[in-house]
Amino acid sequence: MKSSGFRKFLSETGDIARFTGRFFTELFKPRFEFAEFFRQCYFIGYKSLPLVAITAFIMGLVITIQSRPTLVEFGAEAWLPKMVSVSLVREIAPVITALICAGKIGSGIGAELGSMKVTEQIDAMDVSGTNPYKFLVVTRVMSTTLMIPILAVLADAVSLYGGFLGTNIRGVCSWDLYWNQVFDTLTYGDVIPSIAKTFLFGFAIGIIGCYKGFNSSKGTEGVGQSANSAVVISSLLVFVLDLLAVQITDLLQLT
Amino acid sequence: MAAKDFRNVRLGIFVLVGTGLLIAALYLIGSKQNLFGSTFHISANFNNVSGLMKGNNVRFAGINVGTVESVEIVSDTSVNVVMIIENSVQKFIKKNALASVGTDGLMGNKLVNINSVNEPSESIEEDDVLQSLKPVEMDQMVRTLDVTNENIKVISTNLRNITDKINSKNSLWNLLMDTVVAENVKSSIVNMKLMSNEGLYITGDLKAITQGIKNGKGSIGALITDTLISSKIKQSVITLQKLSDTAAIVTGDISQIVRNLKHGKGTMGVLLTDTSLIHNLNTSVKSINKGAVTFDEDMKALQSSWPFKKYFKKQKKAKK
């Protein structure tokens, strides 16, 4: 299958689309693997929480400290909670969560499925009558799709808490006033699109990780390659989806 | 199996906390926009809403009490703004309250202000229409500010001139800055102080003098204060009066005497007025004259008589 780079890219895109289509057909077939789904949810969601929380906390703190000098220049220091909350909730917390998860979960899924593929466990599953796609791919993609939004909500909360601490490093803003200002500023137009796009991020991370692992080439080298490319492509897809989400929300006047 | 249960519990907590936070956030945002809780609708018609939009805040007495639900053009001069207001403030907003479109801060969001009018009225009800005030427009403000700026420019130019004048030579400022003048002023003030001190002494003295005069010290004092002298003077004046009275009487007497004299009363009067006496005197003198002539003749006869002849001759010889 020798072909040019562009052709390879197109065929891979087609493969991913086919893979995604297969996910939806398999999703609605009966016998959903609940036990495996919850196990994956635990690993993908719960186990990623400390990493996401620390990152979000630091981002909230840093964004607040970084925004202060500009706002002080305008004499709008009091607007710090408002500005920080909007930037954190709308963009930073969801995207940071998605990128961290792309690194941690995408690579994990890619490596796990890749090694299973290499060690012919998937083929063995197929022979033993278990649907490997349903058992491995559907559960993982579903858990990433549902867990990333929850992680993003928690990341919002933790980053806003970081913002509260950041506001109080040089200024004074009481706990009540901070949250009052935050929720005064935020609207559904800020929160709902930003949560909605994290479902897409989660889905993209899961599907790319699974695709790369499922289609891993033979050998240990292939496992590393699939893990690596899973991270790269899912991170890239997060940004592409972010761009699309922003354009769609802007088009629908949801902002 | 226990380990798997434990995992599931933790996963459950994770999911519940995440979704709980999301729901709490959505509720808080919704409550800020009055999507939950009991509300009622009122509206107001404006000529111009200055960019008011759905979702802008409605303030009553400066407190957020609701949001703008819709902004619709009714006619070419009228825009209908429907507001959702919390039920809790219904009793405070009266039917005659005024609605106006304002701005949150100088550059902030547009909002509707509902202001009470200082007249009694009933509380507002669902679907009531409020009176509206013409909004303060930024353009107009800027235009006014422009005029103000022009004025300030002129004023500042004038101020500059004044300060220039003050700073230039031969000015008040120079005078103020001149240390010699200041010294002079200082010394003159010292002199004035001395003078006033002396004046103080003088007034003290004067006070003492007047005190003395009051108390009858010194001649003036005595004069002014001695009651004895004054009574004496009084007495002498009385005496003088009496004297003049007496003089008048004397004069009267004199004139009486003179009159009497004229009429020949008394010795002197008789003397002065008796014409017969004068006649007698005249005749007496005539007789004396006669006697003298006779006596002369007698003497001559005697001279030529012998006893006396020799003597007369001798006298003639001595004369020669």
Side-chain angles (χ1 to χ4, degrees):
Chain A
M1 276 258 281
K2 299 256 171 182
S3 57
S4 67
F6 183 64
R7 202 190 156 103
K8 206 174 166 185
F9 169 75
L10 283 181
S11 78
E12 196 165 354
T13 311
D15 278 347
I16 291 171
R18 197 185 297 271
F19 192 80
T20 311
R22 193 177 163 193
F23 166 80
F24 283 111
T25 54
E26 297 277 355
L27 176 64
F28 294 108
K29 279 182 185 169
R31 267 212 83 220
F32 191 75
E33 304 282 348
F34 281 105
E36 176 65 9
F37 170 69
F38 286 127
R39 206 179 73 90
Q40 289 303 325
C41 281
Y42 178 76
F43 281 115
I44 289 164
Y46 187 80
K47 287 284 180 187
S48 305
L49 181 61
L51 190 66
V52 168
I54 290 166
T55 323
F57 176 77
I58 291 170
M59 279 315 290
L61 196 63
V62 166
I63 286 291
T64 313
I65 296 168
Q66 295 276 40
S67 304
R68 177 180 288 277
T70 317
L71 284 174
V72 166
E73 211 169 294
F74 293 109
E77 214 178 331
W79 282 58
L80 195 56
K82 299 186 178 196
M83 207 202 102
V84 165
S85 63
V86 168
S87 51
L88 285 175
V89 169
R90 285 182 79 113
E91 193 60 33
I92 291 164
V95 171
I96 286 291
T97 307
L99 285 180
I100 291 291
C101 289
K104 184 180 181 292
I105 299 163
S107 65
I109 293 172
E112 195 186 2
L113 293 197
S115 58
M116 283 172 98
K117 170 87 178 173
V118 167
T119 52
E120 295 179 343
Q121 286 180 52
I122 293 172
D123 294 336
M125 234 182 253
D126 213 358
V127 171
S128 71
T130 320
N131 185 347
Y133 195 93
K134 201 156 178 60
F135 187 76
L136 299 173
V137 176
V138 172
T139 52
R140 279 170 174 75
V141 173
M142 275 313 290
S143 57
T144 54
T145 309
L146 295 177
M147 287 303 107
I148 300 289
I150 292 173
L151 282 171
V153 170
L154 290 168
D156 280 343
V158 173
S159 64
L160 284 173
Y161 178 68
F164 169 71
L165 293 184
T167 314
N168 276 290
I169 289 174
R170 288 193 181 277
V172 176
C173 185
S174 73
W175 176 261
D176 284 347
L177 178 65
Y178 181 80
W179 291 107
N180 218 346
Q181 282 194 321
V182 166
F183 285 111
D184 215 23
T185 314
L186 292 178
T187 59
Y188 286 146
D190 295 320
V191 178
I192 290 170
S194 90
I195 297 301
K197 71 186 176 189
T198 54
F199 284 96
L200 298 178
F201 294 163
F203 182 76
I205 291 164
I207 208 89
I208 295 297
C210 287
Y211 170 78
K212 281 294 171 185
F214 222 70
N215 293 296
S216 176
S217 51
K218 301 281 176 188
T220 39
E221 200 186 318
V223 176
Q225 230 172 37
S226 60
N228 182 25
S229 60
V231 172
V232 171
I233 294 174
S234 56
S235 304
L236 194 67
L237 256 182
V238 164
F239 283 105
V240 172
L241 285 169
D242 194 34
L243 177 67
L244 280 173
V246 153
Q247 283 181 324
I248 289 165
T249 51
D250 191 50
L251 212 71
L252 296 175
Q253 299 270 309
L254 287 172
T255 49
Chain B
M1 266 303 174
K4 203 183 168 190
D5 271 355
F6 189 55
R7 273 183 189 177
N8 278 346
V9 168
R10 280 194 275 184
L11 180 64
I13 293 168
F14 169 77
V15 173
L16 285 175
V17 168
T19 47
L21 275 174
L22 181 63
I23 289 164
L26 293 180
Y27 175 76
L28 277 169
I29 293 165
S31 69
K32 292 272 179 193
Q33 293 182 348
N34 299 309
L35 294 183
F36 311 114
S38 47
T39 54
F40 67 104
H41 294 79
I42 53 172
S43 63
N45 290 315
F46 294 95
N47 285 340
N48 182 349
V49 292
S50 313
L52 191 76
M53 285 187 302
K54 182 186 171 183
N56 277 137
N57 284 323
V58 177
R59 285 186 183 168
F60 174 64
I63 302 165
N64 286 333
V65 294
T67 50
V68 172
E69 195 192 40
S70 68
V71 179
E72 277 173 1
I73 299 174
V74 177
S75 71
D76 57 343
T77 56
S78 176
V79 180
N80 184 251
V81 176
V82 179
M83 293 165 270
I84 311 174
I85 308 289
E86 289 167 21
N87 265 350
S88 58
V89 295
Q90 183 179 7
K91 57 190 169 190
F92 300 115
I93 302 177
K94 306 295 179 191
K95 284 195 176 192
N96 62 354
L98 289 174
S100 60
V101 177
T103 312
D104 187 7
L106 195 63
M107 309 295 281
N109 289 324
K110 291 288 170 194
L111 48 84
V112 178
N113 279 311
I114 298 175
N115 293 306
S116 295
V117 178
N118 204 2
E119 279 166 18
S121 180
E122 285 173 42
S123 288
I124 204 160
E125 281 161 24
E126 175 83 25
D127 293 330
D128 272 348
V129 179
L130 289 179
Q131 298 283 310
S132 66
L133 280 175
K134 211 182 163 197
V136 175
E137 280 183 60
M138 206 63 192
D139 272 9
Q140 219 169 354
M141 264 169 66
V142 169
R143 243 173 277 143
T144 317
L145 266 179
D146 196 41
V147 176
T148 314
N149 276 339
E150 283 295 322
N151 292 344
I152 287 171
K153 197 174 134 195
V154 173
I155 290 167
S156 64
T157 314
N158 290 346
L159 267 177
R160 212 185 100 193
N161 286 339
I162 290 166
T163 48
D164 280 352
K165 278 178 189 166
I166 287 173
N167 279 329
S168 67
K169 284 175 185 172
N170 306 324
S171 70
L172 187 65
W173 187 246
N174 240 23
L175 208 65
L176 288 175
M177 291 304 286
D178 197 335
T179 50
V180 179
V181 170
E183 279 300 316
N184 289 347
V185 169
K186 206 172 161 186
S187 62
S188 51
I189 285 168
V190 170
N191 289 342
M192 276 170 79
K193 199 182 163 189
L194 288 173
M195 254 169 71
S196 66
N197 276 346
E198 278 168 18
L200 204 70
Y201 287 135
I202 289 166
T203 41
D205 288 352
L206 275 172
K207 200 179 162 190
I209 289 165
T210 46
Q211 200 69 39
I213 289 168
K214 241 189 203 167
N215 295 333
K217 283 175 193 163
S219 47
I220 298 174
L223 273 178
I224 289 168
T225 55
D226 196 338
T227 48
L228 197 67
I229 282 180
S230 69
S231 72
K232 275 182 184 170
I233 288 169
K234 208 173 166 187
Q235 226 165 355
S236 35
V237 168
I238 291 166
T239 319
L240 272 171
Q241 178 107 29
K242 278 181 182 168
L243 198 68
S244 62
D245 284 355
T246 323
I249 292 165
V250 169
T251 334
D253 287 354
I254 288 170
S255 81
Q256 189 70 40
I257 289 165
V258 169
R259 222 178 292 133
N260 289 345
L261 279 174
K262 259 184 189 166
H263 295 117
K265 279 177 191 164
T267 336
M268 274 297 267
V270 172
L271 277 173
L272 287 170
T273 55
D274 197 342
T275 48
S276 63
L277 182 71
I278 293 167
H279 181 73
N280 290 346
L281 276 173
N282 276 342
T283 51
S284 307
V285 170
K286 273 172 193 168
S287 306
I288 288 163
N289 272 345
K290 235 181 241 176
V293 170
T294 342
F295 182 74
D296 201 36
E297 281 169 2
D298 290 347
M299 280 312 279
K300 270 171 184 176
L302 205 68
Q303 270 175 16
S304 14
S305 65
W306 71 282
F308 297 104
K309 216 175 173 179
K310 208 179 171 189
Y311 174 76
F312 283 112
K313 274 187 180 169
K314 221 180 169 182
Q315 235 178 3
K316 272 182 185 174
K317 276 184 184 170
K319 267 187 188 175
K320 286 176 185 175

